[in-house]
Amino acid sequence: MGRSNQPSMSTPALLKVDNLVKHFPVRGGLLQREVGRVHAVDGVSFEIAAGETLGVVGESGCGKSTTGRCVLRLIEPTSGEVWFDGKNVTQANKDELRALARDMQIIFQDPYASLNPRMTVGAIIGEALIIHKLAPTKAAFEARIVELLETVGLAADHMKRYPHEFSGGQRQRIGIARALAVDPKLVVCDEAVSALDVSIQAQVINLLEDLQEKFRLTYIFIAHDLSVVEHISDRVAVMYLGRVVEIAPANALYSNPRHPYTEALLSAVPIPDPKVKRQRVRLQGDVPSPLKPPAGCHFHTRCPIAQKGLCDRERPVLKDVGPGHRVACHLRS
Ligand code: SF4
């Protein structure tokens, strides 16, 4: 459950996200005027130390992938700040962003969709080497591709093949090699194992852990399932409708969840020990639309202990409930 001997937030932060907001305008009518706004990310803050893995979990539409993409500026945030290694990512100009792209990479959910089917694996992995001028000669280029393929458990002769010739797990290894090509410090794993079978998921997670140790990588590991992030995460942030509702060291979150939403998510995670029973908490209804999130606590429409007059009016802020453990709930302290 979670990991030990990992860097904690007592080490200086490599990444700081401060009050990040992303609203997507919704347009309609003949003149395509703005008729609403999707509140995808609604004031998210967190920090990550070098070498640490922060798991980010929540149902689809909770804003976790948008948060990851805003951190890398693949999507422009509406407001808020992102700091990486002392540099302001949100204010970076084009040249500064290109330099930052070497340090911050992403691995996508669907390796097939994210790999150009017309390019060989060597060309896909080597693209960033060319962009960042990291391989001065053809020989150096090929040697680096071979090194990267072998690092992720593939073979040198795979460089001449095309993505469709590989299994889902192998394609994700290609995606990982592509991300590693520029020697990044931070990697956003955006649902990186969600599309894979459970046994392949475990192999890819083990590979990511080995690579983290070898290259001292820092991960934001995004998934919709708490059981997927349990093994790899040092800390876990739970998101609901654009907000972080609980963030804690993995051990504390899994053994003592404090937010009713985390409790519900966790109650659906199978426990390997048959003697340990966990009561299933079934949430009523669906996640409300991020176009019009409920007032007060976004979770109040589904929360089994919501208090009328309080939860539907006042937004709960994250407050400390234990070492490194923060919860946004009026009724939990
Ligand atoms: Fe439930 Fe209220 Fe806590 Fe929100 S603030 S999680 S509605 S008890």
Side-chain angles (χ1 to χ4, degrees), residues 34 49 65 70 79 92 109 123-124 133 140 179 215 222 227 245 298 313 315 323 329:
E34 187 176 320
S65 287
C70 283
S79 62
Q109 170 174 7
I124 290 170
K133 300 187 176 67
F215 301 114
I222 297 167
S227 61
V245 295
H298 283 350
R313 286 197 189 150
R315 172 179 178 164
C329 173

Side-chain angles (χ1 to χ4, degrees), residues 259-260 297 299-300 303 305-306 311 316 329-331:
H259 196 281
C297 173
F299 188 55
H300 83 257
C303 179
I305 58 165
C311 300
C329 173
H330 294 304
L331 305 186

Side-chain angles (χ1 to χ4, degrees), residues 23-38:
H23 293 167
F24 292 101
V26 179
R27 299 187 189 280
L30 261 183
L31 298 174
Q32 287 294 296
R33 287 216 174 94
E34 187 176 320
V35 290
R37 290 192 141 225
V38 173

Side-chain angles (χ1 to χ4, degrees), residues 12-28:
L14 177 70
L15 181 81
K16 272 189 193 185
V17 175
D18 188 17
N19 206 13
L20 191 72
V21 172
K22 178 63 191 177
H23 293 167
F24 292 101
V26 179
R27 299 187 189 280

